Amino acid sequence: MLQEMEGPFPGLRELHRKLLQGALLHGNIQASASLLMPCIPNEPSNTLVTEVPEPVPSLCAGNVSVTCVPRDVTLLQLSLIQILIIKAENLCTEPPVRCQYCHIVELLLQAGLDDTIIRLFHTPDKVLSHISSKCLSYLVLFQLRFQNEVNCHWLQFCQKSLCQDPGSITLIPCLTSLISVCKGILTDKRIQNADYLLGILVPIENVIERFCSTYITYLSTAQYQPLALGAESSSQISCLLDFLEVLVALRIELKLNVFLCRRVVSVILPQALNLISSPVLYFVKKQVILVLKRCLLYKAGEDFLPSSHLISHQQDATLVQDMAVLAGSLLKAVQKGWLLQIPVSDRLSSFGGVSEGSAFGPDLGMLGAVSLSVVKALEIWFYDETFNDRVTGHADVVMDLHTVMAGILDFLRHHLKWKDPVHTCEWVSLTFIEQDDDMLEVAKCLLQMYLHHSSLRSCPSETDKGVTSCPSHQCGTNPHCIFLFLLSNVLFDASVLLDFLISSETCFLEYLVRYLKLLKEDWPLFCLTCTFFDESMSLRSHTLSSIPVCSAQEQSAGMLPVQGECTSLPNLHTSTTLVLSPPASGPNDNSRPSTPPSLSGCESSSSQSALQRLVAYDSSEESESEYAESNCSVTIHSAGADSRDIDKHMERLGLRAGHPAFLSTPPASAQARSNTSQNTSTQQKSAQCLEDLREAICRLHRKKLFPYNPSALLRLLTNVGILSKA
């Protein structure tokens, strides 16, 4: 009697225990399949009752009163089906157990499990709908792996859902199941078959394109339709953006050149730019920018692809053409004032909202993504084969570059609250202080354009005004200024550059090799840039010395300082060296502590990222025991600085004594250079930094600790040393 009152829970609990153990199920297999088959309580024929039925009271062991809700039974059954499929597909499961589990799944399919799950999508219960969508995705992928067929009921459901009006209750389950299935195909080599994808996408490609265009247009004109302002519409468009990124990833990774994947890049994503001015929530607008950035960088899907996966940049000609169309659409929007429509939160935000304890300041993630997207679009546009047909001379190249870069600088100037800087090129360091990978991507894009167009490489004559007369400097794209700001931000510390070189998270190797090749040809302009750099920094130091420091109360009250009016951080070029010990994880640990966010647009804050590095490569000649036992606390060496001032500076940077150690004590020569850095020119410090980098690479290469053959890189670094001593 007690077992009857408990319903199916005792059997489901026992089945759950067996599945977790990966053990054979005893008894009748048909009975186990029947126990797992979800039911829709009180459902009339061919209709679904969406209201949750009344709970049925029952008793469990120990005479404790419980409530048996049919909804909970259905959720448990769906979860157990997912576990069953995972165990059946896992090669580590014993063969007899896998065979039995596969047989149970086939019995469930024969009983119409897929049709039952699809009917559950019509419930307003979002938890039940979400779990049902996940379960159906597992089921579709199971059929692809073991039966080599696409589930026709699921495909028909997707077609029907995408034909309905925006706001349909089945839209999110449809999109999430499509995303899960496509991700499964993309990440599983066993089913990376173009025929499967063609069988899924071709029947629905016209429906999807029509739906995307209609829905994006609907949201873009939603000021006349207040219902589009709700969270439900924002969730739907967020799922749609995820699906669009997956389609682009399929095209990039699997070279899937189907009509739908082509239209996503050349038609649908350009239409999605209009969502910036629509009344959807902020996180959706941020997602539009991030998806756009990843697609332009050929990194669509990087969040769910395996971490060891290397994205191939060898793409077909049609994809290059479609990317040029997307880039051209973005640049046209920029010229029409699109950047002015982009909202930037004044709080550090994420997709889950904002942290109440976070400091006030612009959303640097949004600013960086927007800037990188536009710069990458500019590079793609300039490299397009039809570019020569659009311009008549070098002056047009400079004009196009100047127009777009002026838009970016105005956009950043508005949100970062800075005045016109001495260096127009310092926007890269100010914007990407927290994002090393994006900063190097921007630097590489600007360098590529500089190398590709000779009109940007004109060296100023003696009668000109120096570096400021260079077209690249006027546009904020001078590669020498950008490289010098990068070195100054890391305090000319070669070990930080070494971290970048061995990291798979940045493109620093590609960027450095190309820049060093340029440096060999462009050495006179580099020297001239270093001189201008010293003069402008001397002027800035004199200006900042007469400006009061913003108080902590003003910062906490949200009063953002403006560059040139106040400063809250130490001067970027003071000789401050942070001494830390290496982590216990050793030299292969690529984890980097997060940098405190910038609270203002003051350029001095860009020195924060320089105060932390991964590994002390100066100790590579020492024994492993000495390396493992070294664990010294944070210390600071600064010429002529009071220790209390140092503590204040560290507090403003978000650092304090006892911070996890990441560096070893530099050699005496490095400390001596640090103590005299104020009297050393930028050119000398840059040359010494590159020489230190060359020596560190040589030491690691001799000990066979460097991850690749650095011979070509070492030759380029040696050439720089020769030029600096000439």
Side-chain angles (χ1 to χ4, degrees):
M1 181 63 179
L2 179 61
Q3 186 174 2
E4 292 179 358
M5 295 180 67
E6 289 183 344
F9 277 114
L12 291 174
R13 281 197 295 265
E14 178 63 20
L15 186 58
H16 182 222
R17 186 179 65 84
K18 290 285 188 180
L19 290 176
L20 291 181
Q21 294 175 352
L24 284 170
L25 303 180
H26 302 294
N28 188 356
I29 301 301
Q30 184 69 45
S32 298
S34 300
L35 186 63
L36 284 173
M37 188 68 185
C39 60
I40 305 175
N42 303 325
E43 180 190 10
S45 59
N46 299 327
T47 60
L48 175 65
V49 177
T50 58
E51 295 183 359
V52 178
E54 293 294 329
V56 180
S58 66
L59 296 175
C60 66
N63 296 325
V64 179
S65 177
V66 298
T67 301
C68 179
V69 181
R71 167 186 178 273
D72 296 341
V73 175
T74 303
L75 289 172
L76 180 57
Q77 290 170 328
L78 293 172
S79 300
L80 291 179
I81 291 172
Q82 294 180 49
I83 299 175
L84 179 71
I85 294 174
I86 292 173
K87 292 290 185 179
E89 295 176 343
N90 193 343
L91 298 178
C92 296
T93 306
E94 295 293 332
V97 178
R98 291 184 63 201
C99 183
Q100 185 188 64
Y101 290 1
C102 289
H103 183 49
I104 295 176
V105 177
E106 292 172 355
L107 291 175
L108 290 171
L109 286 170
Q110 293 173 7
L113 173 62
D114 49 358
D115 185 61
T116 301
I117 294 176
I118 289 172
R119 285 185 290 164
L120 288 171
F121 289 159
H122 294 80
T123 175
D125 188 329
K126 294 185 178 181
V127 175
L128 184 58
S129 177
H130 177 69
I131 299 299
S132 301
S133 176
K134 288 185 60 179
C135 186
L136 183 59
S137 303
Y138 278 101
L139 202 62
V140 172
L141 290 171
F142 175 86
Q143 289 181 278
L144 288 176
R145 294 185 179 106
F146 292 93
Q147 299 177 359
N148 298 321
E149 64 180 17
V150 179
N151 189 295
C152 59
H153 294 98
W154 169 72
L155 204 55
Q156 292 171 359
F157 160 73
C158 292
Q159 287 178 315
K160 184 177 180 181
S161 297
L162 293 171
C163 288
Q164 295 178 359
D165 295 333
S168 170
I169 196 173
T170 61
L171 179 57
I172 290 182
C174 167
L175 291 174
T176 52
S177 63
L178 278 170
I179 292 169
S180 298
V181 171
C182 291
K183 283 182 179 180
I185 297 175
L186 191 59
T187 57
D188 191 344
K189 293 183 178 180
R190 294 176 292 177
I191 53 176
Q192 281 185 358
N193 191 322
D195 294 337
Y196 294 147
L197 290 166
L198 292 175
I200 294 172
L201 297 179
V202 171
I204 62 176
E205 60 184 5
N206 292 327
V207 177
I208 291 178
E209 183 187 4
R210 184 166 55 251
F211 170 78
C212 292
S213 299
T214 302
Y215 196 32
I216 292 174
T217 303
Y218 164 74
L219 290 176
S220 300
T221 58
Q223 61 266 27
Y224 305 109
Q225 304 176 36
L227 293 178
L229 295 172
E232 185 69 20
S233 295
S234 296
S235 299
Q236 290 174 350
I237 195 65
S238 178
C239 286
L240 180 59
L241 291 170
D242 285 334
F243 182 52
L244 295 179
E245 183 179 359
V246 170
L247 291 177
V248 178
L250 287 173
R251 186 173 182 192
I252 293 175
E253 299 303 314
L254 302 184
K255 309 297 188 293
L256 190 66
N257 200 14
V258 298
F259 176 78
L260 175 61
C261 294
R262 292 197 60 182
R263 299 289 286 178
V264 167
V265 177
S266 60
V267 176
I268 299 177
L269 283 178
Q271 291 176 345
L273 298 176
N274 296 325
L275 291 173
I276 295 299
S277 58
S278 69
V280 294
L281 298 181
Y282 178 74
F283 81 90
V284 175
K285 299 182 180 183
K286 186 172 183 177
Q287 186 179 2
V288 171
I289 301 298
L290 293 176
V291 170
L292 180 67
K293 182 192 80 171
R294 288 192 286 264
C295 292
L296 289 172
L297 292 175
Y298 291 85
K299 291 184 178 181
E302 66 176 353
D303 291 341
F304 58 83
L305 288 172
S307 58
S308 59
H309 179 79
L310 295 178
I311 297 177
S312 173
H313 291 274
Q314 299 297 326
Q315 301 299 333
D316 58 275
T318 56
L319 178 58
V320 175
Q321 294 174 1
D322 291 339
M323 283 294 182
V325 173
L326 176 59
S329 300
L330 176 58
L331 295 177
K332 290 178 182 177
V334 170
Q335 292 176 346
K336 294 179 180 180
W338 180 74
L339 291 174
L340 301 178
Q341 300 174 351
I342 298 176
V344 178
S345 174
D346 60 351
R347 299 289 295 274
L348 304 179
S349 64
S350 60
F351 290 110
V354 297
S355 173
E356 293 299 329
S358 63
F360 284 93
D363 185 354
L364 292 181
M366 178 69 113
L367 293 177
V370 171
S371 304
L372 177 53
S373 298
V374 177
V375 169
K376 185 62 181 180
L378 196 60
E379 182 196 4
I380 294 174
W381 190 241
F382 278 5
Y383 267 84
D384 185 23
E385 293 180 355
T386 62
F387 179 76
N388 292 328
D389 299 332
R390 298 190 305 268
V391 298
T392 58
H394 295 318
D396 293 332
V397 176
V398 177
M399 182 179 298
D400 288 347
L401 179 63
H402 188 274
T403 301
V404 176
M405 292 306 303
I408 294 178
L409 293 175
D410 288 341
F411 169 71
L412 296 174
R413 186 180 295 110
H414 172 70
H415 292 289
L416 290 177
K417 309 297 182 185
W418 79 55
K419 293 184 178 180
D420 292 335
V422 177
H423 270 292
T424 54
C425 306
E426 68 178 336
W427 68 271
V428 177
S429 300
L430 290 172
T431 306
F432 298 97
I433 184 173
E434 298 176 344
Q435 301 160 295
D436 296 339
D437 52 346
D438 285 354
M439 177 182 65
L440 293 172
E441 285 285 356
V442 167
K444 187 184 74 170
C445 291
L446 297 177
L447 177 61
Q448 287 283 82
M449 288 187 285
Y450 184 83
L451 294 173
H452 190 67
H453 295 286
S454 58
S455 57
L456 300 176
R457 301 178 59 181
S458 58
C459 185
S461 63
E462 296 180 358
T463 59
D464 287 331
K465 297 181 181 180
V467 176
T468 55
S469 64
C470 295
S472 60
H473 186 87
Q474 294 172 350
C475 299
T477 62
N478 187 341
H480 301 301
C481 288
I482 293 172
F483 183 72
L484 291 175
F485 271 113
L486 171 63
L487 294 185
S488 64
N489 286 342
V490 299
L491 302 183
F492 297 90
D493 190 341
S495 61
V496 179
L497 303 185
L498 192 57
D499 291 338
F500 288 157
L501 279 177
I502 67 174
S503 173
S504 61
E505 299 176 357
T506 68
C507 59
F508 185 66
L509 173 62
E510 182 181 0
Y511 165 71
L512 183 61
V513 168
R514 291 180 179 178
Y515 180 75
L516 293 177
K517 289 181 179 179
L518 167 67
L519 202 57
K520 183 179 179 181
E521 304 172 0
D522 222 11
W523 184 256
L525 183 56
F526 172 76
C527 296
L528 193 62
T529 305
C530 289
T531 302
F532 176 71
F533 199 88
D534 289 332
E535 293 173 353
S536 60
M537 290 301 103
S538 176
L539 175 63
R540 173 172 299 169
S541 299
H542 175 73
T543 303
L544 292 178
S545 63
S546 61
I547 296 174
V549 177
C550 293
S551 65
Q553 289 80 2
E554 290 174 337
Q555 293 182 17
S556 62
M559 299 175 63
L560 298 179
V562 179
Q563 183 183 14
E565 294 181 354
C566 64
T567 179
S568 59
L569 297 175
N571 188 354
L572 177 66
H573 298 278
T574 55
S575 58
T576 305
T577 304
L578 187 67
V579 183
L580 298 165
S581 64
S585 57
N588 293 328
D589 185 6
N590 289 334
S591 61
R592 184 180 288 109
S594 60
T595 307
S598 174
L599 301 180
S600 71
C602 296
E603 59 85 24
S604 300
S605 63
S606 58
S607 62
Q608 297 175 39
S609 59
L611 300 180
Q612 298 173 359
R613 54 176 155 164
L614 297 177
V615 180
Y617 299 100
D618 292 334
S619 62
S620 60
E621 296 288 353
E622 300 173 1
S623 64
E624 294 183 359
S625 60
E626 291 176 346
Y627 183 84
E629 292 175 359
S630 61
N631 185 19
C632 57
S633 60
V634 178
T635 58
I636 295 287
H637 297 275
S638 179
D642 184 78
S643 60
R644 290 172 296 180
D645 293 334
I646 294 294
D647 293 337
K648 292 178 182 178
H649 293 332
M650 291 183 67
E651 182 179 358
R652 295 189 186 108
L653 289 173
L655 303 174
R656 58 180 180 273
H659 192 278
F662 289 90
L663 307 177
S664 66
T665 304
S669 59
Q671 293 188 16
R673 287 195 300 269
S674 175
N675 292 334
T676 60
S677 61
Q678 286 183 324
N679 299 322
T680 306
S681 68
T682 299
Q683 180 179 339
Q684 292 173 321
K685 288 187 288 186
S686 302
Q688 186 61 54
C689 178
L690 294 177
E691 177 62 20
D692 293 342
L693 178 63
R694 187 192 66 79
E695 294 176 356
I697 295 174
C698 288
R699 289 198 302 269
L700 291 176
H701 186 49
R702 285 197 303 267
K703 298 174 72 69
K704 298 182 179 180
L705 295 176
F706 205 70
Y708 48 85
N709 185 359
S711 300
L713 179 60
L714 289 174
R715 285 195 298 269
L716 291 171
L717 290 170
T718 301
N719 289 334
V720 173
I722 295 174
L723 289 172
S724 64
K725 296 175 182 177

